[in-house]
Amino acid sequence: GESVGLHLPTLSVQEGDNSIINCAYSNSASDYFIWYKQESGKGPQFIIDIRSNMDKRQGQRVTVLLNKTVKHLSLQIAATQPGDSAVYFCAENARNDYKLSFGAGTTVTVRA
Amino acid sequence: DAEITQSPRHKITETGRQVTLACHQTWNHNNMFWYRQDLGHGLRLIHYSYGVHDTNKGEVSDGYSVSRSNTEDLPLTLESAASSQTSVYFCASRSGGTGELFFGEGSRLTVL
């Protein structure tokens, strides 16, 4: 079965609000985590990543939080914009393993 | 700029026919992957390769094969297409166990 999963399949957000997308993983050997954004008809695009020796990492308008104790990962998007409407995937791999395992994805819809 | 390209982008075929999806990357990555994407399942790993002449089965490898004769290409072959193989197929490549997995734009395959 899958080792990575998202808590909610859909998320509706008002434009300008902050979005939080959650992800749970089960593999205690997971060492590297990554978030992808996929727009309709396109391949997944990298958003941000985090190693297991960190608990927080920030990018432009995005923050990833990692809680290894409860095996939980979240992606926060600040001031959500219409262009943020997409499917978001979390993925992970173990140390020395080059293949990523993906969750099922959360569809984010931004309301004007 | 380095890139990863897939062809064809769209294909319709009949049950029982052999189909090959091409993947070509100019990143000079040793690690290449094929995923399929279906509604509700996210991205599932079909086959992967860590270098020339290396191939490995992923979680949904039945009915598929790959070959790696050079660094740049990892073609995916469906020996005898089945309707259950109707899906969107993504090729990806990566340099190591951390860092971005670069995706192609996808190949939509319909098996009638």
Side-chain angles (χ1 to χ4, degrees), chain A residues 36-46 83 85-89 102, chain B residues 4 6 9-10 35-38 42-43 88-91 101-108:
Chain A
Y36 279 90
K37 173 186 179 183
Q38 186 178 26
E39 298 175 327
S40 181
K42 295 185 177 181
Q45 296 290 317
F46 172 88
S85 292
V87 180
Y88 290 81
F89 295 95
F102 285 81
Chain B
I4 181 165
Q6 295 182 229
R9 294 292 312 280
H10 301 272
Y35 291 86
R36 62 176 287 174
Q37 184 172 36
D38 305 288
L43 290 151
V88 180
Y89 292 86
F90 286 98
C91 181
L101 180 66
F102 293 90
F103 283 88
E105 288 298 301
S107 296
R108 181 176 294 276

Side-chain angles (χ1 to χ4, degrees), chain B residues 11-32:
Chain B
K11 185 169 181 66
I12 300 174
T13 191
E14 296 178 341
T15 300
R17 291 195 181 264
Q18 184 182 77
V19 176
T20 296
L21 305 179
C23 175
H24 180 81
Q25 54 98 1
T26 58
W27 294 99
N28 200 36
H29 289 158
N30 285 326
N31 309 307
M32 296 185 71

Side-chain angles (χ1 to χ4, degrees), chain B residues 28-95:
Chain B
N28 200 36
H29 289 158
N30 285 326
N31 309 307
M32 296 185 71
F33 308 84
W34 274 103
Y35 291 86
R36 62 176 287 174
Q37 184 172 36
D38 305 288
L39 197 63
H41 289 279
L43 290 151
R44 292 184 291 175
L45 185 63
I46 306 172
H47 280 286
Y48 58 101
S49 169
Y50 289 160
V52 176
H53 303 310
D54 176 74
T55 61
N56 305 279
K57 294 181 178 180
E59 61 180 305
V60 289
S61 61
D62 287 349
Y64 303 94
S65 64
V66 293
S67 61
R68 188 88 180 271
S69 60
N70 58 52
T71 300
E72 296 80 18
D73 299 288
L74 186 71
L76 177 71
T77 297
L78 289 68
E79 300 294 344
S80 178
S83 58
S84 60
Q85 295 176 308
T86 292
S87 187
V88 180
Y89 292 86
F90 286 98
C91 181
S93 72
R94 192 183 193 192
S95 61

